Amino acid sequence: MTALDLSSPVAVVGTGTMGQGIAQVALVAGHPVRLYDAAPGRAREAAAAIGARLDRLVEKERLTAAGRDAARARLLPVEELTGLADCALVVEAVLERLDVKQELFRALEDVVPDDCLLATNTSSLSVTAIGGALRLPGRFVGLHFFNPAPLLPLVEVVSGSATDVTSATRAYETARAWGKTPVACADTPGFIVNRVARPFYAEAFAVYESQGADPATIDAVLRESGGFRMGPFELTDLIGQDVNESVTHSVWRSFFQDARFTPSLAQRRLVESGRLGRKTGRGWYDHADGAERPEPHTADPAEPPVYVIAEGGLGPASELLALIREAGVEVRERDEDGGTRLVLPGGGKLVLADGRTTAEFRDVVHFDLALDYRGATRIALSHARHTSPAAVAEATGLFQALGKKVSVIGDVPGMIVARTVARIVDLAVEAVAKGVATEDDVDTAMRLGVNYPLGPFEWSRRLGRGWAGELLDELHGIDPSGRCAPSLALHQYACAADEREDTP
């Protein structure tokens, strides 16, 4: 099954920001495009807005003047659904309400031919449920573009329970012909990106609600240590707290209130107070003109230790040993069964975040996971109230000697980056095990859809297949509410790797 021929008209119903963006993508690809909106005159306004964007593409030399003129000639706003009668594909981008979408597609079935592909751009509703109202649900598919559609490459091609393979394939190939990067997924709450991404927000909010760290510090640690493009507090301010919370609630309800998707009470209070982020001038941060951005907590300078004793290879943090030596700090190595820590001169121990609290131990300081310890510019440390100030100071001075800023947070099990990555890996593994998508498509979706520095499976291979499960087991042991309970799929994923290693 191949992509739609460029001579085939494509229709977009709903002319808001997303609808206009999808129409522009199809138009620039070479299709005749029909625009329809239930509000009188809105389609004509959208056509004018798209024309203005085409002008800007010409100014930026991304489109020729001749290409712009040809695209404008192919763009037709219509005032009645009957104006879509000759279309080969109709993409809907209207209000996120099931009844509204079902009513629209029932009306479209009376207009378009039986071989017309029908698609929804929904981000939170069930593709199966929307298509369930149709006479021919086999031709119905999800085409979830990301905003802004002309710029972001990812498109989730979602097959509902009744979607024909030929329809899904044609939608996939058409998205690819439009210059997009499609990923195929089954109809599941949140699809790939909005399902797997929930812990990125949830874990940050949980750390904040436990008074482990403030938003600016959590954002800084995830950016500067985790390698994420933006922190969750600044990102949800950009998205809109109401929008982000709505998606979280939708996924939570759709999974029958699974504790792993529990919404944040702190975010609920923001929404209730009308502090929705940049669009209202205030969210987690103050976005008023002239408002000062709060600085992340950064520890004062401390003296580095003269030496450290390395017990074990430090696992995912093993590259630290070379960095410590390069900084002029002596590394003394000592074999220790099960040991993966650094012992400081004063007797304190530095341990990579493993899901346990520092309160369980005497003079232990946990340090957080980093995407790349050499490139990281900030490292978070965690300690208990009874941890000696000398141990904290030596740990702080050590990382500062490596050129890192240090953020000291509260006694947060799993810290910030480590628990976030572990939970993202878990949800990704479970999604693949349940047939939602392939490992490669999950990794592609998370890198392109939300700009993660690594896909979850790429991260898991780097950290070790058993790493996420071990950390989540510890977190679940401390908090058996189910929020951090590792899935059966994650356990099987780790065991499968062990079996391959044991096979001669």
Side-chain angles (χ1 to χ4, degrees):
M1 182 62 66
T2 58
L4 293 177
D5 189 89
L6 289 180
S7 63
S8 302
V10 172
V12 177
V13 179
T15 58
T17 300
M18 183 59 79
Q20 289 181 32
I22 296 170
Q24 180 180 327
V25 170
L27 193 63
V28 171
H31 288 273
V33 173
R34 312 278 189 266
L35 286 176
Y36 172 79
D37 197 291
R42 192 70 61 79
R44 289 193 301 275
E45 293 173 3
I50 293 170
R53 282 201 289 274
L54 295 177
D55 288 339
R56 289 195 289 274
L57 290 178
V58 173
E59 293 171 3
K60 296 176 181 178
E61 298 183 347
R62 296 178 183 171
L63 183 68
T64 66
R68 173 199 60 198
D69 295 342
R72 279 180 166 170
R74 294 193 302 270
L75 183 59
L76 177 65
V78 300
E79 294 297 325
E80 301 291 339
L81 278 181
T82 52
L84 311 182
D86 64 339
C87 290
L89 167 64
V90 180
V91 183
E92 162 272 317
V94 302
L95 188 65
E96 269 309 74
R97 273 181 43 188
L98 179 61
D99 58 337
V100 172
K101 294 180 187 291
Q102 287 180 329
E103 182 179 355
L104 168 65
F105 282 111
R106 279 194 294 261
L108 281 168
E109 276 202 307
D110 293 334
V111 172
V112 299
D114 285 355
D115 61 351
C116 175
L117 191 63
L118 299 178
T120 175
N121 183 59
T122 185
S123 62
S124 60
L125 298 176
S126 164
V127 171
T128 301
I130 299 171
L134 299 182
R135 175 173 51 85
L136 298 172
R139 57 160 163 186
F140 187 71
V141 66
L143 275 177
H144 180 216
F145 289 76
F146 287 73
N147 194 28
L151 297 180
L152 294 186
L154 184 69
V155 177
E156 292 177 317
V157 181
V158 187
S159 293
S161 296
T163 302
D164 293 335
V165 172
T166 53
S167 298
T169 302
R170 172 156 284 184
Y172 184 99
E173 294 300 333
T174 297
R176 185 157 63 178
W178 291 357
K180 295 302 180 182
T181 303
V183 292
C185 67
D187 184 22
T188 185
F191 309 142
I192 299 173
V193 172
N194 280 329
R195 173 178 178 156
V196 177
R198 294 332 316 148
F200 180 67
Y201 312 106
E203 294 312 303
F205 298 162
V207 172
Y208 168 74
E209 289 175 340
S210 69
Q211 300 187 45
D214 60 277
T217 299
I218 296 170
D219 277 351
V221 170
L222 283 162
R223 285 195 316 269
E224 300 172 39
S225 184
F228 291 92
R229 187 77 59 86
M230 297 180 72
F233 295 92
E234 57 190 343
L235 181 55
T236 52
D237 265 4
L238 176 63
I239 295 169
Q241 298 302 332
D242 53 338
V243 174
N244 181 262
E245 191 206 29
S246 177
V247 173
T248 299
H249 270 269
S250 175
V251 172
W252 177 62
R253 289 192 301 268
S254 297
F255 277 113
F256 308 106
Q257 300 184 8
D258 185 328
R260 293 176 301 164
F261 300 98
T262 301
S264 162
L265 180 59
Q267 188 179 42
R268 174 92 291 260
R269 292 293 179 256
L270 274 186
V271 174
E272 289 174 337
S273 66
R275 292 179 290 171
L276 307 182
R278 292 189 182 185
K279 61 187 176 183
T280 60
R282 189 174 182 86
W284 297 109
Y285 299 109
D286 186 350
H287 299 280
D289 291 341
E292 291 187 11
R293 181 70 175 265
E295 292 293 325
H297 170 75
T298 302
D300 292 332
E303 287 293 321
V306 175
Y307 69 89
V308 294
I309 300 172
E311 295 182 344
L314 293 187
S318 58
E319 65 182 318
L320 277 176
L321 296 179
L323 298 179
I324 293 170
R325 290 187 178 100
E326 291 169 17
V329 177
E330 180 187 357
V331 177
R332 304 174 183 174
E333 298 194 45
R334 181 168 68 196
D335 290 335
E336 184 77 15
D337 290 340
T340 53
R341 56 184 174 256
L342 293 174
V343 181
L344 300 165
K349 299 177 181 64
L350 258 175
V351 180
L352 177 63
D354 57 8
R356 295 179 292 179
T357 67
T358 51
E360 300 175 51
F361 307 98
R362 177 181 176 82
D363 275 1
V364 163
V365 177
H366 278 116
F367 65 95
D368 208 349
L369 181 69
L371 171 69
D372 168 17
Y373 282 99
R374 184 174 292 277
T377 57
R378 183 179 298 271
I379 294 293
L381 301 180
S382 174
H383 67 89
R385 292 181 181 178
H386 61 248
T387 305
S388 71
V392 177
E394 286 184 326
T396 299
L398 176 64
F399 281 104
Q400 288 173 341
L402 307 186
K404 318 299 182 188
K405 296 177 181 177
V406 174
S407 291
V408 180
I409 67 172
D411 185 9
V412 177
M415 301 195 66
I416 298 172
V417 180
R419 66 191 285 169
T420 299
V421 171
R423 290 212 53 223
I424 288 171
V425 168
D426 182 33
L427 293 189
V429 168
E430 183 184 50
V432 170
K434 292 191 173 181
V436 173
T438 66
E439 291 186 12
D440 285 346
D441 276 356
V442 170
D443 277 355
T444 297
M446 302 314 292
R447 282 189 286 101
L448 298 184
V450 278
N451 288 313
Y452 282 7
L454 291 175
F457 290 94
E458 293 174 305
W459 225 322
S460 179
R461 287 189 289 270
R462 178 183 290 194
L463 296 169
R465 280 174 169 251
W467 176 84
E470 291 170 3
L471 187 142
L472 293 177
D473 274 333
E474 294 288 354
L475 284 174
H476 182 56
I478 294 170
D479 174 16
S481 65
R483 275 196 74 256
C484 297
S487 65
L488 172 62
L490 186 63
H491 174 72
Q492 293 169 329
Y493 175 76
C495 290
D498 292 339
E499 288 172 6
R500 283 196 294 272
E501 291 168 0
D502 293 342
T503 301

